[in-house]
Amino acid sequence: MFDLASRDIKYLQGVGPQRAAMLNKELEIFSLHDLLYYFPYKYVDRSRIYAISEIEGTMPYVQLKGEIRTFEVVGEGRQRRLIAHFTDGTGFVDLVWFQGVKYALEKYKVRQEYIVFGKPTPYNGRFNIAHPDIDPAAELKLSSMGMQPYYNTTEKMKRSGLNSHALEKLTATLVKQLTEPLPETLTPAILHDHHLMPLTAALANIHFPVNAETLRKAQYRLKFEELFYIQLNILRYAKDRQRKYQGYRFERIGEVFNTFYTRNLPFELTNAQKRVLKEIRKDLGSGRQMNRLLQGDVGSGKTLVALMTMLIALDNRYQACMMAPTEILANQHYETIRELLCGMDVRVELLTGSIRGKRREEILNGLLTGDVNILIGTHAVIEDTVNFASLGLVVIDEQHRFGVAQRARLWTKNLQPPHVLVMTATPIPRTLAMTLYGDLDVSVIDELPPGRKPIATIHQFDSRRGSLYDSVRKQIAEGRQVYIVYPLIKESEKIDLKNLEEGYHHICEVFPECTVCKVHGKMKPAEKDEQMQRFVSGEAQIMVATTVIEVGVNVPNASVMIIENAERFGLSQLHQLRGRVGRGAEQSYCILVTGYKLADDTRKRLEIMVRTNDGFEIAEADLKLRGPGDLEGTQQSGIAFDLKIADIARDGQLLQYVRQIAQEVVDAEAVAPRPENELLWRQLARLRKTNVNWAAIS
Ligand code: ADP
Ligand code: MG
């Protein structure tokens, strides 16, 4: 038995130093193991011949059997192409070459039987196949071809002949050498209980499936394994942490909480808020450290739940701290919470980067003596100079700006790590949350406070600006306020800022009767705050802004959100922006403005936005459209998303299933070491070593 990972790809028959260098550089294939785990991205069934009369516009690839009747060269210059009129007796297709015309003319003959393979495209009332694969029918044995694998390669590789077909040949050579089974990576019990194909068979079949059924089984086995080890890693990590750290026990619900609940709380809690508070109280009383993710759409009332959780900490003689991603948000939380706690004997302080000198000293002192009960702030609160008398709870707002590493820093703020409540308004599909925040428990507020009218979302082409401005004017006349948002993306920052400035002047001209303010991320904080304040106070009716207003800002009187160049925003971001309106009692509107020409994906995004206000539905759609790697938060999450075969968006059910199995393995191990699971821990250790990202969270 040989260890594939230690065998250099260079020595595989058909590779050699030059191709090896190319494989190293382009695909990061260094060993035989790497090649074996470089899976096809698709398969084409080459066992079947289609009749030309069966071809439809949506078919990916077809295989035809027939003959060429005539050749024809048409067009001039770059348009010049060779057309072969091909028929099987049921109809005609055109085979087309834009390059290699001379070569094709020499190689292929009329009235000879060929197997033609390629992608049919409708053109001028019939189908054509550009640059088809053509083989003489006599030379191909169809039944032996089965499902043909296709591998991704790069332009560079293709230019030197290392295309999909070449990779297929190399892989075939390697698979033939696997005469002995490879060491199994799952236990016999798991293989048996879940009807999984053994590893070696799965690897052989993933490249060269005998038929569609074995392919499905091979895929299932390999996806299972991939997701299983991701979950095993996370759950093992969570278990170790649980064992290492005790949690503070908050047993009491006392005066602070009760006073607030009976005297200060301005409204009835929603059922969802009540349920989540119950889940949190259970954690806090359990003696284990709480690590809970609180998800809820914008405006669902997370802040209130966070506050009430902090009051429980206070009732148990601990301090609480709340961390927001921006200064504006920290400010807003500070104001809101002070107002909510009005008349109560609770000291709340704000700590941000701009609070310095004597004021800062006072706050730091108050934290040390325990006089300050609740600290609200930005990243500033996790600096080493900030120390507490007895920090018991940390609330983190808008998780996606904080990585796992930053969360971990909080644990050093007291002898035992404080309880952690993470809030996010970016709804994360459950499957993704389990992977991204797999070490967190999840609570969901899936209900908005009563009396909210759903926001009406409208897609409008920018040529119809005139009528759009008319309706805006009407809203303003009724006393409402309006946001107008421009995109701001780092790479084109200069152009974007210019757009924003131009937009601002344009709006000032169109609405001379209004006061317009302007906010973008390049402003000094003081200037930004001043502009914000003009809008919050109602002095300005229109705010022109970049996405800095994306998170958390709360102006209930603003009822219109216009998003310019909406095609340049992702779904989650559009949804976040839209959440800035619809916070008051009035009917609110979100207008997505775009040009006429739109890509298919963009059109889909806009349609989803118009159709639904449901953040979870939008998040699911976003995940499907973009894939998990591009979603906000995944980059900082410290978890590898370059999965080899599983797809978080599509394999959600399997993910939940394997999580259960991984949980059982971890739980059993906690009771007593299981010799039969030894091989799982060995494999996990191996993966942690080769996967840098995994090591970072463990
Ligand atoms: P989130 O942080 O989830 O976006 P907020 O906590 O800012 O939402 O709440 C949005 C608004 O709804 C706030 O003005 C808040 O006071 C109000 N609110 C919260 N809970 C309720 C409730 N149960 N009933 C009525 N209004 C509520
Ligand atoms: Mg909020």
Side-chain angles (χ1 to χ4, degrees):
M1 170 131 22
F2 47 65
D3 176 15
L4 293 178
S6 67
R7 299 264 302 249
D8 195 322
I9 189 69
K10 189 160 56 182
Y11 302 115
L12 181 70
Q13 189 195 333
V15 179
Q18 261 176 14
R19 281 187 152 187
M22 183 76 84
L23 289 169
N24 294 170
K25 191 149 166 282
E26 299 295 306
L27 300 181
E28 294 189 23
I29 294 176
F30 295 93
S31 65
L32 295 186
H33 176 274
D34 295 340
L35 181 65
L36 194 57
Y37 278 84
Y38 192 71
F39 300 150
Y41 69 94
K42 70 166 185 198
Y43 306 83
V44 173
D45 184 355
R46 296 206 65 175
S47 61
R48 172 166 181 209
I49 301 266
Y50 285 83
I52 291 177
S53 60
E54 283 181 283
I55 300 178
E56 286 169 24
T58 53
M59 284 180 174
Y61 284 85
V62 293
Q63 188 162 245
L64 307 168
K65 186 176 181 178
E67 56 185 48
I68 295 169
R69 284 289 162 80
T70 51
F71 284 103
E72 186 183 358
V73 177
V74 299
E76 288 296 322
R78 300 177 91 221
Q79 289 293 313
R80 197 175 114 95
R81 60 200 186 273
L82 172 67
I83 296 177
H85 301 284
F86 181 86
T87 182
D88 64 357
T90 72
F92 274 89
V93 294
D94 288 345
L95 311 179
V96 184
W97 289 265
F98 296 93
Q99 285 131 37
V101 169
K102 194 160 152 257
Y103 174 81
L105 268 175
E106 275 167 20
K107 181 154 183 198
Y108 305 119
K109 308 273 177 273
V110 293
R111 307 252 169 217
Q112 187 176 324
E113 196 167 53
Y114 288 116
I115 303 279
V116 166
F117 177 78
K119 184 174 169 42
T121 331
Y123 182 74
N124 272 353
R126 64 162 75 172
F127 284 95
N128 72 36
I129 298 179
H131 295 270
D133 284 354
I134 301 185
D135 291 290
E139 288 173 22
L140 272 190
K141 267 221 271 8
L142 280 181
S143 59
S144 71
M145 296 200 55
M147 312 276 283
Q148 188 179 10
Y150 278 73
Y151 299 88
N152 276 317
T153 58
T154 64
E155 274 312 310
K156 253 203 189 129
M157 291 174 66
K158 283 194 191 95
R159 259 184 270 131
S160 69
L162 205 49
N163 55 13
S164 170
H165 198 57
L167 276 181
E168 181 189 338
K169 277 194 190 149
L170 296 180
T171 309
T173 306
L174 174 55
V175 168
K176 266 196 216 98
Q177 290 178 16
L178 300 180
T179 46
E180 275 176 65
L182 297 167
E184 194 35 85
T185 45
L186 294 170
T187 62
I190 292 179
L191 290 175
H192 174 265
D193 292 353
H194 307 287
H195 312 287
L196 300 174
M197 197 183 248
L199 179 63
T200 313
L203 287 169
N205 272 286
I206 201 73
H207 291 288
F208 305 105
V210 178
N211 54 42
E213 178 61 13
T214 57
L215 173 59
R216 200 191 55 73
K217 284 196 167 146
Q219 282 172 329
Y220 184 76
R221 142 84 208 212
L222 294 167
K223 283 180 182 184
F224 184 109
E225 174 172 347
E226 185 168 43
L227 296 173
F228 173 78
Y229 276 104
I230 288 176
Q231 291 302 320
L232 193 67
N233 187 42
I234 293 170
L235 294 171
R236 175 67 191 251
Y237 166 66
K239 194 81 173 184
D240 286 350
R241 196 191 50 210
Q242 227 178 64
R243 246 200 314 248
K244 246 196 323 224
Y245 301 117
Q246 291 270 299
Y248 297 111
R249 204 182 280 273
F250 294 178
E251 276 164 337
R252 213 169 359 197
I253 295 292
E255 199 197 316
V256 185
F257 186 95
N258 287 329
T259 307
F260 176 79
Y261 195 73
T262 52
R263 230 189 49 203
N264 283 42
L265 185 62
F267 30 65
E268 189 51 26
L269 292 177
T270 63
N271 285 328
Q273 283 171 321
K274 284 184 195 161
R275 171 172 44 76
V276 168
L277 265 172
K278 246 188 226 150
E279 289 167 358
I280 289 172
R281 275 185 57 185
K282 204 167 143 215
D283 282 358
L284 296 178
S286 73
R288 288 197 290 110
Q289 184 215 2
M290 173 172 80
N291 267 286
R292 190 166 278 280
L293 176 68
L294 174 55
Q295 288 193 58
D297 230 329
V298 271
S300 59
K302 296 183 295 293
T303 313
L304 193 64
V305 169
L307 173 62
M308 293 175 76
T309 307
M310 293 198 280
L311 298 184
I312 299 176
L314 267 49
D315 269 333
N316 289 273
R317 311 241 174 282
Y318 288 94
Q319 292 161 296
C321 160
M322 183 163 177
M323 196 155 69
T326 66
E327 195 147 340
I328 293 176
L329 267 179
N331 259 308
Q332 202 167 63
H333 280 317
Y334 176 67
E335 297 292 338
T336 312
I337 285 174
R338 291 235 328 188
E339 211 168 290
L340 282 165
L341 296 179
C342 181
M344 290 178 58
D345 185 23
V346 175
R347 183 168 163 201
V348 185
E349 293 288 356
L350 175 72
L351 188 69
T352 62
S354 55
I355 291 168
R356 298 199 197 96
K358 193 150 167 287
R359 183 86 198 93
R360 191 181 170 89
E361 284 305 309
E362 271 172 29
I363 296 171
L364 293 184
N365 246 325
L367 288 170
L368 270 180
T369 58
D371 288 346
V372 174
N373 305 109
I374 295 178
L375 181 70
I376 295 173
T378 53
H379 281 79
V381 302
I382 55 170
E383 280 166 22
D384 292 336
T385 51
V386 182
N387 290 298
F388 295 79
S390 62
L391 180 64
L393 168 75
V394 177
V395 177
I396 304 176
D397 193 11
E398 303 302 345
Q399 154 76 15
H400 60 268
R401 317 251 165 136
F402 290 100
V404 175
Q406 277 155 322
R407 248 197 284 148
R409 268 184 85 173
L410 287 167
W411 301 353
T412 61
K413 293 279 172 198
N414 206 346
L415 298 175
Q416 295 170 24
H419 296 292
V420 177
L421 181 67
V422 176
M423 303 197 288
T424 178
T426 312
I428 304 161
R430 216 189 120 62
T431 53
L432 187 56
M434 269 168 27
T435 307
L436 210 46
Y437 310 116
D439 60 323
L440 302 184
D441 298 310
V442 181
S443 287
V444 180
I445 304 186
D446 49 5
E447 179 188 0
L448 292 180
R452 300 265 172 86
K453 291 203 181 74
I455 303 161
T457 301
I458 299 155
H459 174 205
Q460 188 128 74
F461 293 117
D462 51 14
S463 52
R464 306 219 27 224
R465 224 168 260 287
S467 69
L468 173 60
Y469 290 153
D470 288 344
S471 12
V472 166
R473 196 164 277 121
K474 232 189 260 157
Q475 285 282 314
I476 293 174
E478 284 173 25
R480 306 282 95 75
Q481 288 167 285
V482 178
Y483 293 105
I484 303 180
V485 178
Y486 288 83
L488 184 62
I489 300 174
K490 279 237 168 58
E491 301 88 75
S492 59
E493 209 158 10
K494 275 212 181 104
I495 304 168
D496 283 340
L497 277 179
K498 190 165 150 267
N499 285 345
L500 179 82
E501 290 298 337
E502 281 170 8
Y504 173 73
H505 288 300
H506 171 69
I507 293 298
C508 290
E509 270 166 35
V510 178
F511 297 97
E513 72 279 17
C514 294
T515 306
V516 186
C517 63
K518 176 179 71 181
V519 178
H520 59 76
K522 280 276 136 99
M523 283 176 160
K524 296 214 174 69
E527 193 186 352
K528 198 155 68 179
D529 280 357
E530 186 201 315
Q531 293 284 324
M532 280 292 204
Q533 211 43 53
R534 291 176 66 202
F535 193 67
V536 173
S537 69
E539 180 203 332
Q541 293 86 39
I542 301 178
M543 175 191 278
V544 173
T546 58
T547 50
V548 290
I549 60 158
E550 186 183 338
V551 264
V553 178
N554 192 13
V555 181
N557 190 48
S559 65
V560 181
M561 160 75 54
I562 297 175
I563 304 177
E564 293 282 349
N565 294 112
E567 68 269 28
R568 286 179 53 190
F569 295 87
L571 261 180
S572 298
Q573 210 178 13
L574 287 173
H575 183 63
Q576 286 283 315
L577 283 167
R578 178 167 63 181
R580 297 304 108 217
V581 296
R583 310 196 133 223
E586 305 304 324
Q587 172 66 54
S588 292
Y589 303 91
C590 172
I591 323 282
L592 307 170
V593 183
T594 71
Y596 257 122
K597 270 203 178 149
L598 293 174
D600 273 358
D601 262 18
T602 314
R603 204 176 293 276
K604 268 191 210 137
R605 279 208 302 275
L606 298 172
E607 277 167 17
I608 291 165
M609 285 298 293
V610 170
R611 190 184 70 229
T612 180
N613 272 304
D614 181 337
F616 281 94
E617 191 182 337
I618 288 169
E620 292 281 356
D622 206 17
L623 182 59
K624 292 217 167 90
L625 281 174
R626 287 200 295 171
D630 290 330
L631 287 194
E632 269 137 286
T634 54
Q635 276 96 348
Q636 303 102 298
S637 70
I639 292 178
F641 270 85
D642 49 348
L643 299 184
K644 276 195 165 25
I645 184 160
D647 177 339
I648 303 257
R650 295 202 177 80
D651 300 320
Q653 267 190 326
L654 181 58
L655 179 66
Q656 302 204 25
Y657 182 66
V658 301
R659 182 180 172 89
Q660 199 64 39
I661 299 159
Q663 185 72 61
E664 283 162 19
V665 170
V666 168
D667 289 347
E669 188 74 12
V671 177
R674 298 282 182 103
E676 71 271 24
N677 286 341
E678 201 41 37
L679 87 93
L680 300 177
W681 304 121
R682 261 204 315 273
Q683 175 69 0
L684 183 60
R686 208 173 299 142
L687 290 170
R688 278 182 177 175
K689 220 181 329 171
T690 50
N691 195 326
V692 186
N693 291 321
W694 281 27
I697 82 153
S698 46

